[in-house]
Amino acid sequence: MLRIGFGTDDLSRLRVAAGSDFMWEVVLSLHLLQNRHAALVFDPWRRQVREDLARAGLIRTTRALIEVNPCASYFPDFLTPGLGDPDPDTGLDAVLSTPRGRLRSELARLYPDRSMPSGARRLAEGGSEALRRLGRAVRAYHAVAVAPYRTVIDRAVGTDLARRADSALAAGAEGLLGSYQPDLLSRRDGRLECGYPFDRGLELNGRPLTLIPSFFCVRQPVALTARELPPVLVYPLPLAPGCLTVAGPGGAPGLHRLLGPTRARVLELLGRPMSTSGIAAALHLSPANASRHATVLREAGLVGSFRDGHRMLHRRTGLGEALLNGNWGV
């Protein structure tokens, strides 16, 4: 049980993040790859992401990330510095600016009884190349495991935040807090309580508590370990079994089954103009295969192609956008 000291004055300082946080979603999705929690919702995602990581040659990269972010009662706070910022650059800049002493102490806590793996040890030493390697690994993993599901994630987060806003408009801060009770929080004797893997307390001491919705948080909320850091409570969303199966990456109903996984990924990629060679490089295809997939999508009216000098560029059409977002009536 997590018990948060929460007085009347703290109610006025309570805040809800405007959306999910880039680094929290990376960290918590990596945890889900290491366990079987919420299997009805996330097993389809696990299967697809493992296939996509293998296809992209990112298995070793993902294992290296897991070395510094295990699914355990403790994982380093420096990996989740955000208060609900969806921007990758902002989140990663904060992570990569972590002081060397903090890197060393938090990573040492992961391996109290055995030596650190080499990658974690280099990161703990605070070398610039190790930090750059971490940034590249996070971006590569996010592009495969999180970014293709952005529409589904944003829809779930948006629905939750709309509910919180309605409660706040109807009954102010008390209504906002009440919207989390009793499913996530209970309030008693000047404290907020929620389920947690072990007993701990958290005193706000006049600091605002930030509530952050997370698509990849399951079962119970998560808080930072260090008491001196800004207090946050990352909470799970109510997700229906099958939401990722039906929606699939990008949010379109059965898109991968309708187009095939590779063409679906090509369509997801073409939110901006890209050349055939650019598609091939991004998805690890041969130029001939990339051209063939773009041609099939163009013939279906989902992609438009145009010349830019000597290059042929491709981009999603309005129909392709509607299909990707599940707007079948368009």
Side-chain angles (χ1 to χ4, degrees):
M1 182 73 71
L2 174 65
R3 297 175 177 86
I4 305 172
F6 196 85
T8 302
D9 290 342
D10 294 311
L11 188 63
S12 64
R13 291 187 285 265
L14 183 67
R15 68 179 295 269
V16 181
S20 60
D21 184 273
F22 173 81
M23 283 304 305
W24 274 108
E25 297 295 52
V26 166
V27 163
L28 295 176
S29 67
L30 274 164
H31 290 178
L32 287 178
L33 283 181
Q34 301 170 64
N35 61 41
R36 288 293 310 282
H37 295 169
L40 288 178
V41 174
F42 285 103
D43 269 1
W45 171 85
R46 288 184 179 97
R47 287 192 294 270
Q48 185 65 58
V49 167
R50 284 169 181 150
E51 291 175 7
D52 291 345
L53 289 170
R55 187 179 296 110
L58 292 174
I59 297 299
R60 290 182 62 185
T61 296
T62 304
R63 287 174 179 162
L65 288 173
I66 288 172
E67 286 182 357
V68 299
N69 178 40
C71 178
S73 58
Y74 171 77
F75 57 91
D77 285 334
F78 79 84
L79 291 172
T80 51
L83 299 178
D85 197 322
D87 180 58
D89 293 335
T90 302
L92 277 172
D93 283 349
V95 171
L96 303 186
S97 300
T98 305
R100 182 173 299 185
R102 183 178 169 191
L103 286 172
R104 184 167 53 251
S105 64
E106 292 191 8
L107 288 170
R109 185 170 176 175
L110 280 179
Y111 298 96
D113 302 319
R114 61 189 179 97
S115 60
M116 285 187 195
S118 58
R121 186 175 63 254
R122 286 192 293 269
L123 184 61
E125 293 168 353
S128 57
E129 179 53 35
L131 286 166
R132 285 194 293 269
R133 189 180 297 116
L134 174 65
R136 292 193 296 268
V138 167
R139 288 186 187 276
Y141 169 81
H142 180 273
V144 172
V146 180
Y149 302 85
R150 193 73 254 172
T151 301
V152 184
I153 295 169
D154 288 347
R155 185 181 298 128
V157 170
T159 298
D160 179 83
L161 292 179
R163 174 189 170 197
R164 310 304 172 192
D166 287 345
S167 298
L169 286 172
E174 284 283 4
L176 172 61
L177 183 60
S179 72
Y180 291 97
Q181 304 176 66
D183 297 334
L184 293 173
L185 296 169
S186 58
R187 188 180 182 189
R188 62 186 65 174
D189 301 327
R191 293 191 176 275
L192 296 179
E193 297 182 349
C194 65
Y196 212 68
F198 51 90
D199 283 336
R200 65 166 291 195
L202 175 61
E203 296 300 325
L204 300 180
N205 298 322
R207 299 173 298 171
L209 175 64
T210 301
L211 301 170
I212 305 175
S214 170
F215 189 86
F216 292 103
C217 181
V218 301
R219 293 189 172 182
Q220 51 199 206
V222 183
L224 295 169
T225 299
R227 300 172 190 273
E228 68 272 15
L229 294 173
V232 302
L233 195 64
V234 179
Y235 64 89
L237 303 175
L239 303 175
C243 67
L244 287 169
T245 305
V246 173
L255 183 62
H256 277 217
R257 294 194 300 273
L258 179 67
L259 299 178
T262 302
R263 283 177 195 152
R265 285 193 292 273
V266 172
L267 187 63
E268 292 159 1
L269 193 65
L270 293 179
R272 58 183 179 85
M274 290 190 70
S275 66
T276 303
S277 59
I279 296 170
L283 298 181
H284 302 280
L285 303 173
S286 69
N289 276 338
S291 177
R292 183 167 63 253
H293 289 307
T295 297
V296 171
L297 292 172
R298 182 175 64 248
E299 291 173 349
L302 303 176
V303 165
S305 300
F306 57 94
R307 287 206 169 274
D308 178 31
H310 296 295
R311 300 187 304 163
M312 179 67 76
L313 299 181
H314 313 279
R315 186 171 188 171
R316 276 198 308 266
T317 63
L319 179 61
E321 194 75 35
L323 180 63
L324 189 66
N325 291 320
N327 298 325
W328 292 90
V330 177

